[in-house]
Each structure stands twice: as C-alpha cells, then as structure tokens.
Amino acid sequence: MSRSACMTFLASIAMLGASYSKATDTHSPQPIDRTISGNSVALPARGYWDLPSYGMAFDFKPSSLDIYDRAGDLCWRDSQHSGMQAANGLVPFFAKSASGSLVFFASAPDGTQYRPRPVTAMPAACTGSMNRTTPQYIFDAVAASLTELYPFTREHHVSWSDRAARLRPRIAAAQTEQDLLAVLAALFQGVEDPHTSVSGQVDGKPFRLRTFRGRDFRELSGAFSQQRRYDNFLDWVFRGWMPGEYRQAAATLLPGTHHQALGSALIWGKLEGNVGYLAINEMTGFGRDSDIEGERSLLGPALDQALTDLKGTRALVLDISHNLGGDDEVSADIAARFADKVRPAYSKQAFRDGAVQRFETIPHHGVCYRKPVYLLTSELTASAAEVFAMRMRQFPNVIQVGEPTQGVFSDATEKGLPNGWILSMSTEIYRDPDGRNYEGVGLGPWVHYQVVGVEPSAGDYGDAIRKTGALAAKQHP
C-alpha cells in the first residue's frame, strides 16, 4: 500500500531480492519474474485474466494490454491504468508453476500477491459499444464498485446501496459534470476514510471528495478554510503548515545534534537525558521520479547515518506523528532496523474472497537500534506509517505514545473512470498477528497525550516530543 495517503492501486515495485519483509501463504512460494520485459508481455502472463477480489480484468497480449474495471453488470476500460507502463505499476511481477503456467501476479517479490483466474474471453460488458461517460453511468460505476468491494461499511456506518438508491432521482436528472459531482458529494458525505475518494477536474479545476478522521484533521481543515494562499488542503498541510511543525521538533534537540536527510524525511538528534530522537516524516518521495527500488536505496544510507549517530543513547523517541504514509516495503525496511528476531507483522486480505497473506519482519543485518523505543503517533499517522506502527508494536522494546493513528491501513485501489475521474477505495482488511482489525479507529497508544496543535506557535508538538523524551529518560535511567 502498502501505500501513501494517496497511494496507487497495488503497492509499488519493490527491490528484487529484498528480504526485510516476507509474505507467507498456504501456497508454496514460486520464483518471481518480470511481467513486462521491454515491450513484451511474458508468455505465462498473456491471455485474459479476471481478478474479482479487486473488480479488475486484464487483457494481456504479446506486445500490448488493456486493463478493465468491473462492478455489477458494468465494465469499462480503465482510463488511468492501460498500457505497458501501467502494468509495470500494477502487476510488475508474476510467479509460475513448474509446468510454466501463471500462479499469481505480485506487487513486489516480497509484496502482495494477486491471484487472477484465467478466462477464455473478456466479458461482453467490457467490450460492447456504448456511451460510458454519462453522469448516470459514472455514478452507477462508483456505487456498484463501493457496494461490491468496500469492506468497512460497519466501521464507517455507511450503506452504499441505500445511499445510491436514495440518490437515484437526482442522478437521473443530472446533465453535466457539475451535476454529477454534486450527487457524488452526497454519496461520500461523512465517510471518514481518506483512501476512499473521487478526484478529477471540472471546468479545468481539480477536486477531490475525501474526508480524514479525527480532531486533528477537523482543526486543520478549519485553519485551511481561513487562509487564501493554497487551494489544495494537503498542499497547504505539507507546504504551509508542516514546516512550522518541523521547526518545533528541531527546537527540542540539544545544540549541535540536529541533523536531517532526504529533505525533511528524516530528522534526528538528541534530547535531554541522553535520549535519541528520530523522526520518520515520509515513507515515499525520497528521490525525484524514483521508483520503489530507488526509494529504498536512498533510505538505507540515511538510516545508517542516523542510527550510527544515535547508537550511544539510552533510549529512542521514534516519531512518526507527522507521517501520512508511503510504501509498505519502505516501512518494512525501517522496522527491520529495530527487530530483534523474525516476528509476525500482520496479515492482509482483499475483502471480496481474497486469499489471506501473512507478513513477517526480518531483522536487518547492518546498522540497527535495539534499545528501548518510544513510538510517537498522532491522527496524522496514516497508511504505510500505520502499517509500520503495527509492525513495531510486535517488538518487546517498543511503547507507543501520543495519539491514536488515523485508521486507514488498506491499500488504495484506484479505478480510472470512463470520464477521466479516479475512484479510489479501500478494498483490503489488515489484521495484526492476533487477528485484530483497526480500520476506522486506528492504533491506540499505551500512553496518551496530545501531539498535534493547529498553531505551531502554541508548541503542542514540541511539548509532546519533550514529554516523550522525559518519559524515556525516567524509565531508563
């Protein structure tokens, strides 16, 4: 998902042979190969494939391909994910059996497995000629996808089918994209799942129907509405508000100990009482236009430097309170630096009859930190950062403190709608090793206090860092 707060459908490509995160399953692992080599589709991957657990279908020809989305009796060619490059982003790897037939597609050699079934032809609903760009068709495609594939109706107190039925008269009268957008806004109203949204452009202006959960985001949304410099909420969060938070974090560090790398992705130093501090503020975007292999190669040396600088500290404040996510493979690489032995991490399963996959955290063999760790979280801690927290909570030397996390674990399955808009939706259930699902509620800390304040001048974030450092110093004299 693994996955940022705005993650693409399948988790990004991971480095071939990486071993920090391992997926286990009832099926024996198979050798992993590239789905696309040059401009050619690998022979076992060619053909028609149906992936009902994600509402998708693939038409893989020797040198071209098309990707379709399916829901109910509707089917449409994905407007965002067709072509060779799309396949490299969606299903970059595959495994085959000893006989040479395809067993599964994979997001990475150590990532999520997708088990399509072969079919003899694409359904007529996918290839038949009709106008799929009307407001009525787009609405039906969105409503049917959510009704069939969305796992968390109970957690978010929503019945997509009931909402769709109530909105039928309005969509029947819709004539324009503005009309359609108004009806979809009513469909999504009050659903606090940031991985579930509709985005696009109307009259050249971008929009995104999406709601975050919790007090932190409600207060941030209120502050955003009072300013006029930024039109996009997350753009304001990252560029207008977050720098003030980073300055608070830097002010807590002892003179001469402040360091950072990969922009502001990693910030580290020392607190009073010989307690270390390491903030992981991002789990993607370390290099311009780099894929996941490049991301991991950039992160490794930065972690080596930070943990080497902090090796003499008695305990560590590990701060992910301002991390909105990234890639699960990156979160696995970071967690491996704190693992004492191979430990179960979590399981994931597509809601619609998906196979259960279980992941483990495998210790890193280089620079590590295995002293006491205080994991600082907030309601801004989301997506891959929460998956990281779920991994870290399995280690006996880790205590989570601060605020509950956002509660959005599932990868964001993206579907390119016929009119060019994008439907993003949670489709997977993540569970900790004890079988607990935290979607919609987040991971609660064992020591609770406020971390995020809208006004950086109030110093809430800096106070939270100091409080965590004092707790670590007191408990580990």
Side-chain angles (χ1 to χ4, degrees):
M1 201 200 227
S2 276
R3 339 59 30 46
S4 64
C6 314
M7 290 178 54
T8 53
F9 162 49
L10 303 182
S12 302
I13 303 171
M15 182 167 58
L16 189 64
S19 61
Y20 301 146
S21 172
K22 182 172 70 176
T24 58
D25 198 88
T26 55
H27 301 79
S28 298
Q30 305 293 323
I32 300 289
D33 296 311
R34 290 275 183 177
T35 304
I36 307 295
S37 297
N39 289 318
S40 178
V41 177
L43 182 61
R46 297 175 189 174
Y48 302 110
W49 304 98
D50 190 23
L51 187 61
S53 54
Y54 290 88
M56 302 192 80
F58 305 129
D59 178 1
F60 280 16
K61 302 178 179 67
S63 58
S64 66
L65 57 89
D66 288 303
I67 297 171
Y68 294 84
D69 296 302
R70 300 184 62 191
D73 57 357
L74 305 181
C75 182
W76 63 95
R77 185 175 180 271
D78 194 294
S79 61
Q80 302 293 319
H81 297 133
S82 285
M84 292 294 189
Q85 189 60 39
N88 273 323
L90 295 179
V91 285
F93 297 93
F94 76 95
K96 59 185 177 182
S97 67
S99 65
S101 60
L102 185 141
V103 177
F104 56 78
F105 288 114
S107 66
D110 54 354
T112 306
Q113 299 171 4
Y114 306 91
R115 300 180 180 274
R117 62 190 184 198
V119 291
T120 56
M122 295 298 293
C126 300
T127 58
S129 177
M130 63 177 298
N131 184 1
R132 295 179 173 85
T133 63
T134 65
Q136 291 76 22
Y137 190 97
I138 302 300
F139 176 84
D140 288 342
V142 170
S145 297
L146 291 167
T147 298
E148 288 191 4
L149 301 172
Y150 189 74
F152 306 117
T153 56
R154 179 177 57 84
E155 288 82 355
H156 291 288
H157 312 289
V158 59
S159 169
W160 298 112
S161 58
D162 288 349
R163 288 191 177 199
R166 289 195 299 270
L167 293 169
R168 293 280 172 213
R170 286 181 60 184
I171 198 63
Q175 300 293 321
T176 67
E177 285 193 328
Q178 291 92 335
D179 297 337
L180 171 62
L181 181 59
V183 178
L184 289 177
L187 181 68
F188 279 79
Q189 185 175 11
V191 179
E192 296 180 334
D193 178 352
H195 277 174
T196 299
S197 66
V198 172
S199 60
Q201 290 191 354
V202 174
D203 297 332
K205 296 181 179 180
F207 73 88
R208 187 158 196 168
L209 302 174
R210 173 171 60 181
T211 304
F212 291 85
R213 184 187 68 83
R215 178 195 63 85
D216 292 350
F217 275 104
R218 285 193 295 272
E219 293 188 357
L220 286 171
S221 295
F224 168 72
S225 67
Q226 299 300 312
Q227 58 82 47
R228 295 293 178 264
R229 181 178 178 185
Y230 297 94
D231 296 326
N232 179 275
F233 173 64
L234 284 183
D235 191 31
W236 171 77
V237 167
F238 285 116
R239 297 174 59 191
W241 177 77
M242 200 76 82
E245 297 291 281
Y246 294 159
R247 287 191 291 271
Q248 284 193 62
T252 67
L253 304 178
L254 295 177
T257 69
H258 175 268
H259 302 278
Q260 63 186 63
L262 306 176
S264 300
L266 272 67
I267 297 174
W268 70 91
K270 294 181 181 178
L271 303 167
E272 294 285 352
N274 194 29
V275 173
Y277 174 82
L278 173 60
I280 309 290
N281 295 317
E282 301 172 21
M283 289 181 179
T284 192
F286 305 136
R288 179 174 295 180
D289 300 326
S290 61
D291 58 17
I292 190 64
E293 296 178 21
E295 300 285 324
R296 295 170 95 169
S297 66
L298 290 170
L299 176 64
L303 284 173
D304 286 346
Q305 184 61 57
L307 295 179
T308 297
D309 288 350
L310 300 173
K311 65 180 181 181
T313 57
R314 69 170 89 172
L316 178 69
V317 176
L318 183 55
D319 182 359
I320 57 170
S321 65
H322 287 59
N323 190 321
L324 272 73
D327 297 300
D328 279 357
E329 289 84 0
V330 168
S331 75
D333 288 358
I334 301 171
R337 302 298 187 116
F338 302 94
D340 59 334
K341 64 179 183 179
V342 176
R343 291 185 180 274
Y346 60 89
S347 69
K348 65 184 295 186
Q349 178 183 21
F351 171 61
R352 187 180 175 187
D353 301 323
V356 176
Q357 294 181 70
R358 294 175 175 84
F359 291 79
E360 297 173 336
T361 303
I362 301 175
H364 180 67
H365 295 300
V367 181
C368 295
Y369 193 98
R370 298 193 175 115
K371 298 176 184 179
V373 173
Y374 289 76
L375 185 67
L376 183 62
T377 63
S378 78
E379 291 173 349
L380 275 64
T381 306
S383 194
E386 292 183 275
V387 176
F388 172 74
M390 187 176 282
R391 287 180 180 273
M392 294 292 292
R393 284 161 59 103
Q394 307 311 310
F395 305 157
N397 61 321
V398 173
I399 297 175
Q400 183 187 347
V401 300
E403 301 173 0
T405 64
Q406 175 66 201
V408 57
F409 293 81
S410 169
D411 289 345
T413 297
E414 289 192 347
K415 295 176 174 290
L417 297 167
N419 66 342
W421 294 1
I422 298 175
L423 167 65
S424 173
M425 54 190 296
S426 297
T427 56
E428 299 165 337
I429 302 171
Y430 278 62
R431 295 184 174 92
D432 72 7
D434 294 322
R436 291 184 289 255
N437 166 34
Y438 294 92
E439 195 81 20
V441 296
L443 296 165
W446 292 304
V447 181
H448 189 284
Y449 43 80
Q450 182 173 331
V451 177
V452 174
V454 173
E455 293 295 335
S457 60
D460 294 305
Y461 182 32
D463 288 345
I465 294 172
R466 294 185 186 93
K467 186 179 296 184
T468 308
L471 177 65
K474 180 181 179 181
Q475 294 193 352
H476 304 283

